Amino acid sequence: MADISFRTALTAGIVAAYIARNALKIDEVEALILAVHRTLGTLEGESAETPAAADAMDAAEADAAAGFVRNGVRSVFADHLVCLDDGRSVVFLARHVRSLGSDMEGYRARWNLPADYPTVASAYAKEKRRIALSFGFGRIGGIRPRDGKTGGARKRPRIRGTLGIAPPPDVTH
């Protein structure tokens, strides 16, 4: 049987624990393994500039264009966000960060995230927007955005006179 190094065994344990709590695509697993292995190597005092580490950094930079990536792990998905503090998948990141005793400004500063980093999963935000539009919120002048028909109740016809009573007909004497 092949001799497995301590760092390789530790990498396998960390990756297995992470995958057990988070959903990953097959092509993301390799980047995660390389990132964990590289991080453990730098903790042991080795240089991070090995060929595998350089490939992992190139993959991480390519993934960064598609979503936010930290330590080889993508943290923004359509249906959930991954907390970088504890690895949990959440829909409301701001609420989860508050439950950990922090705020979003501190979270963004700690992980060097941009100001437009999302705090709510995009699928949830789209669904809530659709529901709000169906209730009539966000309409301008009562016009529905797609079909152009007026929304809400119809205007009642204006009735002249007092108390809604029609005026008497003109009588000429």
Side-chain angles (χ1 to χ4, degrees), residues 56-82:
M57 283 192 271
D58 292 341
E61 290 171 4
D63 286 343
F68 294 98
V69 177
R70 293 291 178 260
N71 296 331
V73 179
R74 185 170 164 213
S75 62
V76 177
F77 296 88
D79 60 339
H80 68 279
L81 304 171
V82 177

Side-chain angles (χ1 to χ4, degrees), residues 10-36:
L10 191 57
T11 300
I14 292 171
V15 169
Y18 184 84
I19 291 175
R21 291 190 63 124
N22 299 289
L24 288 178
K25 295 179 183 173
I26 296 296
D27 55 345
E28 295 172 343
V29 175
E30 180 184 0
L32 176 64
I33 293 170
L34 291 172
V36 170

Side-chain angles (χ1 to χ4, degrees), residues 74-137:
R74 185 170 164 213
S75 62
V76 177
F77 296 88
D79 60 339
H80 68 279
L81 304 171
V82 177
C83 178
L84 297 172
D85 287 339
D86 60 2
R88 291 190 113 171
S89 298
V90 294
V91 175
F92 294 103
L93 183 63
R95 182 188 305 162
H96 178 68
V97 169
R98 279 193 309 271
S99 74
L100 297 175
S102 184
D103 60 347
M104 280 308 294
E105 289 79 23
Y107 181 82
R108 287 183 180 119
R110 184 169 47 255
W111 292 101
N112 195 23
L113 297 171
D116 64 343
Y117 187 81
T119 59
V120 178
S122 63
Y124 180 81
K126 286 178 185 174
E127 179 65 15
K128 284 297 184 181
R129 180 182 189 279
R130 186 191 63 77
I131 291 170
L133 286 174
S134 72
F135 282 124
F137 297 113

